[in-house]
Amino acid sequence: MMNQKEKKLFRSLCSFKKETFDESLLEAATPVVLGHLFFNRMQAVAYGILKKHGVLGKVNREFRNSLKNAYMQNKEKNESFFSCVAYLEKVLGQADCPYAMLKGAYLCRAYPEAYRTSNDIDLLVHPKDVTKIGNVLLDAGFKQGNIRNGKFEPATRKEIIESKMMRGETVPYIKEFDLPGMQFLEVDINFSLDYKPGKADVLKEFLEYSLVEVLPGYHVKTLRKDDFFVHLCAHLYKEATTLPWVEMMRDMTLYKYCDIYMIIDDAMMEYVDFYFRRAAEFGMEKVCAFAVLQTSELFDVNNTYAIDIAKEILKNDPDFIHEVISPKEKKMYVYTEKDITKRFFADSRKELLQEVTT
């Protein structure tokens, strides 16, 4: 278990938008903190913060070098990833149907260099276009399956059907590129905002307003800023509140909350209103409030306006940020530990769940 000083250092090494840094916390730069940084995919962010504040020389050599090597690996991997995004956009141009690239395809470039990586490219498409997009990928040499032990394993027909029915996404489409830091390119086709298919009308509107986002030396077809934020919150909510993700200890991996932190921390009031107004149009304001409130507990979020709006939205449903669903068993659980930070650092969050019997 991490002590309080280790937890404070960990949070400081992740809150990259803060302008100040407490050097006295570096006494807690232990192997435990290092492990949590890697486990939560925040190691390159931590390196960037230490470098920014000129304190790299004040931490243990192994601690420092581990972060530096991870940063360099992220940088190399992202160069390969960006070339894959450009390649995929050319391929998808043949599909003649709307799509948007989600999450990492935009965020990896929007963050400071090498702070974020992505293991795949997520596509959002309308359910009626899933087969069309899939066929374009198959024609380009992609195959459906999974990477296990560094090798491609083709998916069975049963796996392909079950994924569509139960998860609201396809079995990954994979093609070997053998690029530095990225041997395979994996493409996931999403046609749901939930753990199951549905809300096709929301997807249709998302896709109608998709646009090409231009960043330095890079462009990507993605969602409009408000829709991007709503989708990001929905994705975080889905994984944080679905029992299998809790069991895998992948429900609260911090890089997902860092995405919300990056967008909301210094967002102007009119943008916050813009985001929540759009969420309300789709009945997803509680989902966005969930993401903002949990993020504010894990990061030093500077945007009190966004936090106040989120609290107001959930004032009549305080347990909303503590509930977990088991789709398979059709059961609801609630966390007995209401402190989000304590829950995050718990060795087993599953042990903190209690079944709701009503």
Side-chain angles (χ1 to χ4, degrees):
M1 290 289 290
M2 296 175 78
N3 62 40
Q4 287 303 115
K5 196 163 188 177
E6 288 172 327
K7 291 176 182 178
K8 284 184 179 180
L9 174 62
F10 175 81
R11 282 182 53 145
S12 294
L13 290 176
C14 296
S15 297
F16 69 93
K17 293 225 166 193
K18 272 190 80 174
E19 290 303 318
T20 59
F21 183 81
D22 183 357
E23 291 185 30
S24 69
L25 293 175
L26 293 176
E27 296 172 2
T30 63
V32 177
V33 173
L34 185 65
H36 268 275
L37 289 169
F38 275 84
F39 189 80
N40 286 281
R41 288 172 59 177
M42 299 299 294
Q43 63 272 32
V45 174
Y47 176 78
I49 288 176
L50 292 174
K51 185 177 180 181
K52 173 184 174 181
H53 293 284
V55 292
L56 280 168
K58 295 187 178 183
V59 295
N60 172 276
R61 183 184 68 176
E62 304 309 324
F63 192 99
R64 176 177 66 249
N65 286 344
S66 296
L67 297 182
K68 180 181 179 181
N69 290 338
Y71 176 88
M72 298 306 294
Q73 287 169 1
N74 279 9
K75 188 175 177 181
E76 179 181 68
K77 181 177 181 178
N78 272 353
E79 289 306 312
S80 297
F81 180 72
F82 297 146
S83 67
C84 286
V85 169
Y87 164 80
L88 187 60
E89 286 202 316
K90 289 181 181 178
V91 169
L92 294 175
Q94 304 168 40
D96 192 30
C97 62
Y99 71 89
M101 295 191 186
L102 307 169
K103 300 185 298 176
Y106 166 74
L107 291 167
C108 287
R109 181 64 86 178
Y111 271 90
E113 185 179 42
Y115 274 25
R116 195 193 193 283
T117 60
S118 182
N119 296 317
D120 52 34
I121 298 176
D122 288 283
L123 296 180
L124 187 68
V125 304
H126 195 278
K128 68 179 178 61
D129 293 323
V130 171
T131 300
K132 185 184 290 187
I133 291 281
N135 287 338
V136 168
L137 293 175
L138 292 173
D139 289 344
F142 286 82
K143 297 177 181 179
Q144 281 190 277
N146 293 280
I147 304 300
R148 296 191 174 101
N149 299 316
K151 294 183 179 180
F152 174 78
E153 289 187 10
T156 64
R157 179 170 174 77
K158 181 183 177 183
E159 287 173 331
I160 291 171
I161 293 172
E162 283 184 352
S163 184
K164 280 188 177 182
M165 295 294 291
M166 300 300 293
R167 297 174 58 193
E169 63 185 31
T170 62
V171 170
Y173 289 79
I174 295 171
K175 183 175 180 178
E176 186 166 8
F177 278 80
D178 202 22
L179 294 169
M182 183 171 282
Q183 183 180 356
F184 296 94
L185 170 60
E186 179 178 318
V187 178
D188 293 327
I189 301 177
N190 297 262
F191 51 94
S192 170
L193 301 176
D194 209 331
Y195 54 81
K196 58 186 181 296
K199 295 188 178 178
D201 53 335
V202 177
L203 296 185
K204 182 181 178 182
E205 189 155 348
F206 272 10
L207 292 167
E208 281 179 358
Y209 289 101
S210 62
L211 47 75
V212 176
E213 190 74 49
V214 179
L215 297 162
Y218 183 75
H219 69 271
V220 59
K221 188 175 183 184
T222 189
L223 300 178
R224 198 174 69 178
K225 288 187 185 297
D226 54 341
D227 291 341
F228 188 91
F229 176 75
V230 172
H231 176 268
L232 206 58
C233 290
H235 187 80
L236 183 150
Y237 174 78
K238 176 181 78 169
E239 295 184 352
T241 63
T242 308
L243 185 62
W245 288 86
V246 178
E247 293 173 332
M248 293 185 290
M249 287 293 286
R250 293 177 60 193
D251 54 316
M252 291 184 76
T253 314
L254 198 66
Y255 80 94
K256 292 179 282 193
Y257 289 90
C258 192
D259 293 343
I260 307 298
Y261 164 68
M262 187 188 77
I263 292 172
I264 210 72
D265 181 70
D266 54 4
M268 293 182 291
M269 292 171 65
E270 51 264 42
Y271 272 96
V272 174
D273 290 336
F274 183 47
Y275 297 152
F276 276 106
R277 188 162 55 244
R278 186 62 162 166
E281 289 177 18
F282 300 125
M284 296 172 69
E285 64 268 40
K286 289 172 70 173
V287 166
C288 290
F290 172 101
V292 169
L293 289 182
Q294 288 212 355
T295 299
S296 71
E297 294 292 326
L298 300 172
F299 286 86
D300 297 323
V301 175
N302 195 39
N303 198 329
T304 56
Y305 182 70
I307 295 169
D308 288 343
I309 289 179
K311 287 180 178 177
E312 179 66 21
I313 289 170
L314 295 181
K315 69 178 182 180
N316 295 323
D317 193 1
D319 270 348
F320 190 77
I321 62 171
H322 306 303
E323 293 170 344
V324 169
I325 299 166
S326 173
K328 187 176 181 180
E329 302 170 314
K330 294 183 171 58
K331 290 181 179 180
M332 173 79 78
Y333 298 85
V334 66
Y335 278 107
T336 55
E337 176 55 76
K338 306 301 183 187
D339 186 304
I340 303 298
T341 303
K342 288 181 180 178
R343 190 190 303 170
F344 172 79
F345 286 112
D347 291 332
S348 173
R349 285 186 284 277
K350 184 184 176 183
E351 300 301 316
L352 302 176
L353 289 172
Q354 185 177 68
E355 186 179 343
V356 177
T357 55
T358 56

